[in-house]
Amino acid sequence: MGAPDISLSGMLLAYLLLLPPLGIGLWLGVGIVNNALYSVLRMTVQLLFVGLYLQYVFVINNPWLTAGWLLCMIIVADFSIVRSSSLRLRKFFVPVLVAVVTGTALPLLVFILLVLGRPMFFDAPLLIPLGGMVLGNCLRANIIGLGGFYESIRSERKKWQQALLNGASRYEAARPFLQEALNKALSPTLANMATIGLVSLPGMMTGVILGGTDPAGAVKYQIAIMLAILCGTTITAAGAIIFTIPKAFDKYGLLEDTIFREK
Amino acid sequence: MSLTAIEFRQISYSLPQRELLAGFCSIIKSGEKVVLRGPSGCGKSTLLKIAAGLLLPAAGLVCINEKILTGKNVWKLRCELAYMQQESPVWGTSVRDYLQRPFSYHANKELKYDESRARELSDELLLKDDILEALPEDLSGGERQRVALIAALLLGRKILLLDEPCAGLDPDSARRVVSYLQSRPELAVLVVAHDSIMQSLSERVIEIKNLQSAGVESMAELSGGQE
């Protein structure tokens, strides 16, 4: 049994769900109407495109094509992390890329090759959705982690300087800031893990159940993906900070103001 | 024989809107105590930051213990001096944690944290008995300044750059700080101070005038201290 297909008229009806939020936005004068329309439009276009594209990718299932698509996803994630953190792409693109590649590849390799015991890593119907879930979470964690790290060094400049004067290297001075940033970056993932199943049925489980797997089977998938997400977010959040440190400070150990993209 | 602890050679520094320092020169010998004085915004704190390698002068150079401060040796030279900023930050899980932390840094690996010395110093500077257990965020401004000074002293730094160390201190504690510094002949101290107690630290005063109002005759060194 697969999930029932949504007809065209059904799809249009789904868009009716937009009316209450728009109505409430207008009624209360919350300036979200334009924003909401823009976001819905983007979501629709992106998903239609990806849906069409993935149909071909899944049918062709060529390892190179799959790897290429995954790389695209990683690069887009890298872009959004650096940009949303208000940091300069030119300096941070490469170190963040290294962190995201490492943090995505490791949990996915373990998940697909060891947990699922599949012979092929670049198997489009598995790798792309799983990769998307891990990356999406890494993205969120990194914007909080990386952005927060440099922002707090900027706002607590004295503390940073005092650590240097007390004899700290860049990495030693970074430690308390790194701890704080990682804490903030990972706490949503951890809170989500702690309440999962009680309040929310996660998207993946819903998907697997709709796809025809029994709930017990779906739960196993969910547990594995949550662990993969925790692994991926921790590696990318820590890695992105650690790998960017050499680029962000001058030879005196002072934060370069040029790393920030002025808004 | 007395070595030069700090030397400012032709230091110039400008803010975006105005010139702050132009060709400033001065020498502080090791063990010497010197007071920097001048109207606010004239560049006193800037000079301390330049000496600590936290700001780069537009022109000129600074020597610490007779070595020109550069991006290469700044990490080593910073370990020969201490800079106490205005409203020094103190952080960590307790004051003791703050004082101990630098001893875990690689650069300080030959040094060992000495708890009894920390207690001695906090008594000497009139801090309360349980100060080491206190939370950094509970410290008053004056307590924070003294904790920062203790941190510098525990690390055995011989050159102290102090920016308004007595701000927020009661007169008794301020006098204790002054007499403690005077009792340590090996410490070179360059202090920015507005209050008379701290200014009583030394006969030698470097007066910095406001460049804007003073025109060309920008800096004049007052009374002696020359050997």
Side-chain angles (χ1 to χ4, degrees):
Chain A
M1 180 208 85
D5 194 37
I6 298 181
S7 64
L8 185 63
S9 57
M11 200 67 245
L12 290 174
L13 285 173
Y15 277 88
L16 287 181
L17 291 173
L18 253 181
L19 293 179
L22 291 183
I24 292 172
L26 283 175
W27 177 45
L28 295 178
V30 192
I32 59 160
V33 173
N34 285 341
N35 223 330
L37 286 175
Y38 174 72
S39 297
V40 167
L41 187 71
R42 267 195 70 162
M43 171 196 75
T44 307
V45 172
Q46 283 163 206
L47 286 182
L48 281 179
F49 171 74
V50 169
L52 275 173
Y53 182 83
L54 285 186
Q55 282 215 316
Y56 288 105
V57 174
F58 284 8
V59 171
I60 299 166
N61 205 359
N62 174 305
W64 291 102
L65 193 64
T66 311
W69 181 246
L70 187 68
L71 190 65
C72 274
M73 287 163 56
I74 288 175
I75 288 175
V76 172
D78 183 2
F79 262 98
S80 342
I81 290 169
V82 179
R83 287 188 66 90
S84 308
S85 313
S86 303
L87 296 167
R88 282 212 188 275
L89 213 48
R90 195 160 38 79
K91 286 205 164 206
F92 283 40
F93 185 78
V94 175
V96 174
L97 185 68
V98 174
V100 177
V101 168
T102 323
T104 319
L106 185 81
L108 288 178
L109 282 169
V110 171
F111 196 114
I112 293 176
L113 299 183
L114 303 180
V115 176
L116 296 179
R118 303 294 286 239
M120 189 171 73
F121 179 61
F122 291 106
D123 184 11
L126 270 177
L127 183 62
I128 289 175
L130 293 177
M133 291 193 66
V134 174
L135 267 173
N137 281 281
C138 290
L139 184 78
R140 233 178 313 161
N142 265 279
I143 292 170
I144 304 173
L146 188 66
F149 176 76
Y150 287 107
E151 202 41 61
S152 63
I153 291 181
R154 173 151 78 163
S155 61
E156 294 182 77
R157 198 172 289 254
K158 279 189 173 179
K159 179 171 157 185
W160 174 264
Q161 295 179 343
Q162 194 61 54
L164 295 184
L165 287 157
N166 290 350
S169 67
R170 293 178 187 85
Y171 289 99
E172 285 165 335
R175 255 186 100 90
F177 293 98
L178 179 64
Q179 287 162 348
E180 191 193 315
L182 278 187
N183 224 322
K184 277 191 198 148
L186 296 180
S187 56
T189 307
L190 294 178
N192 192 13
M193 275 176 94
T195 57
I196 203 158
L198 294 180
V199 184
S200 60
L201 265 196
M204 181 187 208
M205 217 172 125
T206 314
V208 177
I209 292 173
L210 287 177
T213 308
D214 59 287
V219 161
K220 286 188 277 184
Y221 261 85
Q222 189 59 40
I223 292 175
I225 193 70
M226 290 301 284
L227 294 171
I229 287 171
L230 180 64
C231 172
T233 45
T234 313
I235 292 176
T236 42
I241 294 174
I242 291 168
F243 299 152
T244 51
I245 284 179
K247 300 239 171 193
F249 300 94
D250 65 13
K251 53 187 188 219
Y252 290 81
L254 306 173
L255 188 65
E256 303 250 30
D257 277 320
T258 54
I259 65 165
F260 294 101
R261 201 164 47 85
E262 294 318 322
K263 280 166 258 180
Chain B
M1 181 210 76
S2 76
L3 293 165
T4 302
I6 311 169
E7 180 180 359
F8 294 101
R9 263 189 233 164
Q10 298 285 338
I11 298 281
S12 298
Y13 188 84
S14 297
L15 295 174
Q17 323 80 359
R18 66 193 178 98
E19 205 177 9
L20 210 53
L21 299 162
F24 178 82
C25 292
S26 192
I27 288 179
I28 291 100
K29 298 248 163 78
S30 57
E32 196 179 13
K33 317 282 186 280
V34 179
V35 175
L36 263 180
R37 207 162 61 183
S40 31
C42 70
K44 303 182 298 288
S45 300
T46 305
L47 274 174
L48 295 193
K49 284 191 179 143
I50 288 172
L54 295 178
L55 276 183
L56 304 186
L61 42 90
V62 71
C63 301
I64 301 297
N65 285 336
E66 310 192 331
K67 287 176 286 280
I68 296 173
L69 184 79
T70 65
K72 273 218 181 89
N73 65 13
V74 65
W75 302 90
K76 261 190 78 190
L77 291 185
R78 273 191 191 134
C79 292
E80 297 175 21
L81 57 82
Y83 164 56
M84 207 175 111
Q85 13 195 357
Q86 285 180 40
E87 290 157 37
S88 292
V90 174
W91 66 93
T93 53
S94 67
V95 168
R96 178 183 288 110
D97 176 50
Y98 174 73
L99 293 174
Q100 272 179 333
R101 184 177 305 251
F103 294 90
S104 70
Y105 297 153
H106 183 74
N108 300 324
K109 64 178 187 298
E110 276 106 62
L111 306 172
K112 254 191 82 108
Y113 173 71
D114 183 347
E115 169 91 6
S116 61
R117 180 125 170 72
R119 291 208 174 281
E120 253 170 61
L121 285 167
S122 62
D123 281 350
E124 180 88 34
L125 301 179
L126 299 180
L127 284 161
K128 55 184 189 232
D129 290 341
D130 57 351
I131 189 79
L132 295 180
E133 286 79 39
L135 295 175
E137 53 270 34
D138 291 343
L139 300 183
S140 72
E143 286 170 330
R144 233 174 324 131
Q145 297 298 84
R146 282 172 284 169
V147 167
L149 184 60
I150 291 174
L153 295 169
L154 286 177
L155 287 168
R157 308 291 170 84
K158 295 285 184 293
I159 300 175
L160 305 184
L161 308 162
L162 310 178
D163 200 342
E164 298 287 1
C166 291
L169 249 68
D170 58 282
D172 280 345
S173 310
R175 273 189 280 272
R176 280 296 185 106
V177 171
V178 170
S179 62
Y180 180 79
L181 293 174
Q182 280 167 337
S183 74
R184 301 276 308 269
E186 75 281 19
L187 294 181
V189 182
L190 178 60
V191 60
V192 170
H194 281 109
D195 58 301
S196 58
I197 297 177
M198 202 63 224
Q199 288 181 358
S200 70
L201 175 70
S202 171
E203 292 284 282
R204 188 173 166 212
V205 174
I206 298 175
E207 190 89 19
I208 301 181
K209 287 186 187 149
N210 221 324
L211 264 189
Q212 298 258 296
S213 54
V216 194
E217 196 59 24
S218 59
M219 268 146 260
E221 197 155 320
L222 295 185
S223 65
Q226 264 87 348
E227 282 89 317

